[in-house]
């Protein structure tokens, strides 16, 4: 038989690197000593490292000492993980509410978002509305499930303030076949969370128009604390018959590479919730079968042991305080330069990120000429700023 001269992948084109993940590699390859990494959203201590959290280390030690088997975990979750996480998300809800809610373990917040997107697609959802700008990976995660994403600006980058008028008008057009994707506390990339007035307006619209609200929670504990950061989620859970939440343990447990997340669905009845769970498990089975167990086992171990739970809360609270201090530090340093009060808005925002009013070209100059790495949108991870480099950063910003 003659050999074929054409093969499946002959014409496969090479895609550019992911804009956010590619930044880390470019930073590592940069030989300049004075380089600054403000790229991917990972927490850093004041000395610039991302250590394993104390409670995680201890939970791992206990797990290794007691674990007897590596057989598959149940498709919904490793024992205890979803139950404990559910209490962290919804608080101590009455049992009648809890029976209308389900959770399914997922590989990270991205895995949870994708499971949610696939569930929406199975249900024939028409479109997903999201405020612009949003986290860069929201769009591909939704579109990969075949959903149509519409973006409506809610933020003025130049002034660092929210302008939600057009966004709320777009929300008003949504109907029962549509989904509204919102951020939980610590908006990525702006750091600008919804005001309580806007949250009330959206809740009211969701009740009247029947669209599904999907809240992406990836920085729980980094704005104020574990209770306050869930205020909007719990308000929506109490006020809406249906709700979907994706949850990531990457930042608040520092479990990034362990891919530890979950998707929660609230339905009108236990039957609806169980139907949603059956679909989510079925979607996962047809994709990656089941998520990795290690990270979720660590979270379950931490949340069920009083000593570990307390230590985790304490360390998370210190981490959140560190990030808040970086905001104040940046604003003070900017005021020492020609930037003046131009970055004052940063101190009003939450979480790891703020959007600096620079153009794509200025972002390139900052990278090429000053060794400062940030997302093309002008998003900075404040954790990358230190007492030692903040002066260098604001002077470079003033120069461009
Ligand atoms: C980020 O936004 O930098 C993080 O959530 C990491 C990621 O996956 O993009």
């Amino acid at each position: 038989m003659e050999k074929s001269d054409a093969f499946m992948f002959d014409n496969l084109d090479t895609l550019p690197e992911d804009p956010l993940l590619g930044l880390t590699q470019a930073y590592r390859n940069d030989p300049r000593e004075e380089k600054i990494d403000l790229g991917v959203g990972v927490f850093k201590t004041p000395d610039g490292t991302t250590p394993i959290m104390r409670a995680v280390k201890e939970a791992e030690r206990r797990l290794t000492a007691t674990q007897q088997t590596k057989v598959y975990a149940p498709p919904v979750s490793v024992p205890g993980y979803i139950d404990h996480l559910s209490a962290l998300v919804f608080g101590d809800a009455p049992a009648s509410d809890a029976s209308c809610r389900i959770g399914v373990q997922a590989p990270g917040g991205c895995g949870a978002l994708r499971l949610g997107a696939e569930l929406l697609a199975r249900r024939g959802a028409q479109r997903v509305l999201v405020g612009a700008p949003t986290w860069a990976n929201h769009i591909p995660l939704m579109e990969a499930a075949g959903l149509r994403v519409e973006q409506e600006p809610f933020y003025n980058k130049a002034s660092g303030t929210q302008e939600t008028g057009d966004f709320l008008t777009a929300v008003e057009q949504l109907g029962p076949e549509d989904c509204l994707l919102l951020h939980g506390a610590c908006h990525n990339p702006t750091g600008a969370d919804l005001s309580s007035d806007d949250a009330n307006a959206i809740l009211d619209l969701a009740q009247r128009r029947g669209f599904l609200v999907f809240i992406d929670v990836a920085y729980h504990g980094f704005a104020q604390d574990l209770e306050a950061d869930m205020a909007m989620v719990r308000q929506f859970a109490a006020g809406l018959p249906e709700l979907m939440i994706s949850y990531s343990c990457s930042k608040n447990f520092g479990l990034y590479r362990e891919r530890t997340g979950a998707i929660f669905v609230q339905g009108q009845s236990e039957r609806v919730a169980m139907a949603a769970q059956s679909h989510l498990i079925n979607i996962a089975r047809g994709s990656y079968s089941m998520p990795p167990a290690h990270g979720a086992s660590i979270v379950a171990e931490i949340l069920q042991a009083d000593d570990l739970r307390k230590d985790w809360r304490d360390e998370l609270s210190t981490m959140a305080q560190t990030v808040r201090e970086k905001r104040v530090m940046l604003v003070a340093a900017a005021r020492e330069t020609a930037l003046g009060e131009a970055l004052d808005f940063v101190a009003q925002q939450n979480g790891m990120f703020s959007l600096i009013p620079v153009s794509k070209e200025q972002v390139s100059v900052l990278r090429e000429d000053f060794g400062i790495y940030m997302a093309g949108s002008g998003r900075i991870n404040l954790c990358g700023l230190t007492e030692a480099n903040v002066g260098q950063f604001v002077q470079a910003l003033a120069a461009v």
Side-chain angles (χ1 to χ4, degrees), residues 18 20-21 39-42 110 135-137 188 218-219 251 259 353 379 381:
D18 178 88
L20 266 178
L21 303 184
V40 175
V42 297
C110 285
W135 177 45
N137 211 26
N188 180 3
Y219 296 86
K251 330 283 170 168
R259 311 313 299 135
F353 308 116
R379 186 194 84 169
N381 173 10

Side-chain angles (χ1 to χ4, degrees), residues 20-21 38-42 109-110 113 130-139 141 151 154-155 162 181-194 216-220 222-223 248 250-251 327 349-355 375-382:
L20 266 178
L21 303 184
L38 307 178
V40 175
V42 297
C110 285
L113 282 159
V130 62
T134 192
W135 177 45
N137 211 26
H138 271 156
I139 317 292
L141 278 166
Q151 299 186 65
F154 83 103
Y155 184 77
Q162 297 194 42
L181 178 59
L182 295 176
H183 295 235
C186 306
H187 187 272
N188 180 3
T190 66
D193 289 334
L194 283 174
D216 180 16
V217 178
Y219 296 86
H220 185 195
F222 277 94
S248 167
S250 293
K251 330 283 170 168
R327 293 187 172 277
Q349 299 175 333
N350 290 324
M352 288 187 188
F353 308 116
S354 279
L355 205 54
S377 59
R379 186 194 84 169
I380 59 165
N381 173 10
L382 285 124

Side-chain angles (χ1 to χ4, degrees), residues 197-210:
D197 282 353
D198 285 341
N200 290 340
I202 290 170
L203 176 57
D204 181 56
L205 287 170
Q207 285 164 339
R208 284 196 282 125
R209 308 276 311 166

Side-chain angles (χ1 to χ4, degrees), residues 11-268:
N11 296 320
L12 202 59
D13 54 342
T14 302
L15 296 176
E17 252 181 319
D18 178 88
L20 266 178
L21 303 184
L23 263 184
T24 309
Q25 203 45 46
Y27 171 81
R28 284 197 188 123
N29 293 342
D30 189 331
R32 286 174 286 189
E33 270 196 11
E34 69 286 5
K35 62 187 176 177
I36 303 178
D37 179 13
L38 307 178
V40 175
V42 297
F43 173 78
K44 291 179 188 166
T45 57
D47 65 5
T49 58
T50 308
I52 299 172
M53 290 178 80
R54 294 185 303 263
V56 169
K57 263 284 186 217
E58 175 56 18
E60 276 185 316
R61 197 193 59 73
R62 293 182 191 177
L63 282 172
T64 318
T66 54
Q67 202 171 54
Q68 300 294 338
T69 179
K70 293 285 185 191
V71 292
Y72 299 116
V76 170
S77 149
V78 300
Y81 173 70
I82 284 294
D83 291 345
H84 285 290
L85 210 55
S86 179
L88 210 58
V89 171
F90 296 105
D92 296 323
S96 55
D97 288 357
S99 64
C100 298
R101 291 182 190 137
I102 58 87
V104 173
Q105 188 185 328
C110 285
L113 282 159
R114 181 65 188 271
L115 285 180
E118 293 288 348
L119 183 62
L120 288 170
R122 279 196 178 182
R123 196 23 220 92
Q126 294 296 310
R127 61 181 158 164
V128 176
L129 176 70
V130 62
T134 192
W135 177 45
N137 211 26
H138 271 156
I139 317 292
L141 278 166
M142 296 295 122
E143 287 182 345
L147 300 171
R148 193 174 89 237
V149 180
E150 285 177 13
Q151 299 186 65
E152 188 65 48
F154 83 103
Y155 184 77
N156 183 329
K157 185 176 168 184
S159 61
T161 52
Q162 297 194 42
E163 285 168 13
T164 48
D166 289 349
F167 177 64
L168 291 177
T169 306
V171 174
E172 216 171 329
Q173 313 305 316
L174 299 177
E177 299 298 313
D178 300 318
C179 169
L180 174 65
L181 178 59
L182 295 176
H183 295 235
C186 306
H187 187 272
N188 180 3
T190 66
D193 289 334
L194 283 174
S195 67
S196 50
D197 282 353
D198 285 341
N200 290 340
I202 290 170
L203 176 57
D204 181 56
L205 287 170
Q207 285 164 339
R208 284 196 282 125
R209 308 276 311 166
F211 56 83
L212 180 83
V213 177
F214 187 0
I215 308 180
D216 180 16
V217 178
Y219 296 86
H220 185 195
F222 277 94
Q224 294 183 56
D225 58 47
L226 288 167
E227 297 307 311
D229 286 11
M230 277 297 166
M232 185 180 81
V233 168
R234 292 177 189 170
Q235 179 193 9
F236 279 37
L240 290 173
E242 290 190 350
L243 182 68
M244 193 150 69
I245 295 153
S246 58
Y247 191 96
S248 167
C249 300
S250 293
K251 330 283 170 168
N252 59 354
F253 286 85
L255 283 170
Y256 311 95
R257 65 172 64 170
E258 302 295 356
R259 311 313 299 135
T260 310
I263 175 101
F264 294 94
V265 178
Q266 168 171 303
Q268 292 232 48

